[in-house]
Amino acid sequence: EDDLWNLVFPHLRGWWRRLEAVQPDGLTDWLGLWNNQTWWCEAKVGKPGLKSLRPSQRDFGYECIKRGVPIWTCFGHKGRQLFFLNFQFDTSVTPPFLRHSPPT
């Protein structure tokens, strides 16, 4: 995930930080502040899908979705960086906070 962060970070709009938090369990890996909003993004390396997330990560995401807060997941997979919104892993999308796609 370090390599994924280093690749994507320069292309993020606003102020972003990695959250290396142990508690609360399930908190996303990345936190962004841009366009008067808070952005949550989980980072994963591997095949995109709900099974890639720990139960506590899924719980955090579902709480966000339930409250109308967008939750993003960025997967590094086969040399690409793929973003998904609200656990909709069937189609990757470009988030508004991304300046342009990182090189593959």
Side-chain angles (χ1 to χ4, degrees):
E1 291 179 7
D2 288 340
D3 290 340
L4 182 59
W5 169 256
N6 290 331
L7 189 63
V8 174
F9 176 73
H11 304 281
L12 299 174
R13 299 175 195 265
W15 184 86
W16 286 81
R17 294 297 179 263
R18 289 182 69 183
L19 294 177
E20 305 299 327
V22 176
Q23 289 294 328
D25 191 28
L27 193 64
T28 61
D29 294 314
W30 304 347
L31 166 70
L33 303 175
W34 176 71
N35 200 26
N36 297 318
Q37 292 181 313
T38 301
W39 302 86
W40 298 100
C41 188
E42 179 62 36
K44 291 291 178 189
V45 175
K47 184 178 179 183
L50 196 58
K51 291 182 180 181
S52 297
L53 302 173
R54 294 189 323 268
S56 59
Q57 293 169 326
R58 290 192 297 265
D59 291 345
F60 181 83
Y62 287 133
E63 288 299 325
C64 287
I65 293 166
K66 184 169 113 178
R67 289 166 169 73
V69 176
I71 180 91
W72 291 86
T73 310
C74 177
F75 278 90
H77 182 63
K78 295 186 177 182
R80 299 179 64 207
Q81 300 76 47
L82 305 168
F83 285 87
F84 300 90
L85 176 60
N86 294 339
F87 297 161
Q88 297 172 357
F89 296 116
D90 52 337
T91 305
S92 65
V93 294
T94 302
F97 53 78
L98 190 66
R99 283 192 183 98
H100 56 79
S101 298
T104 57

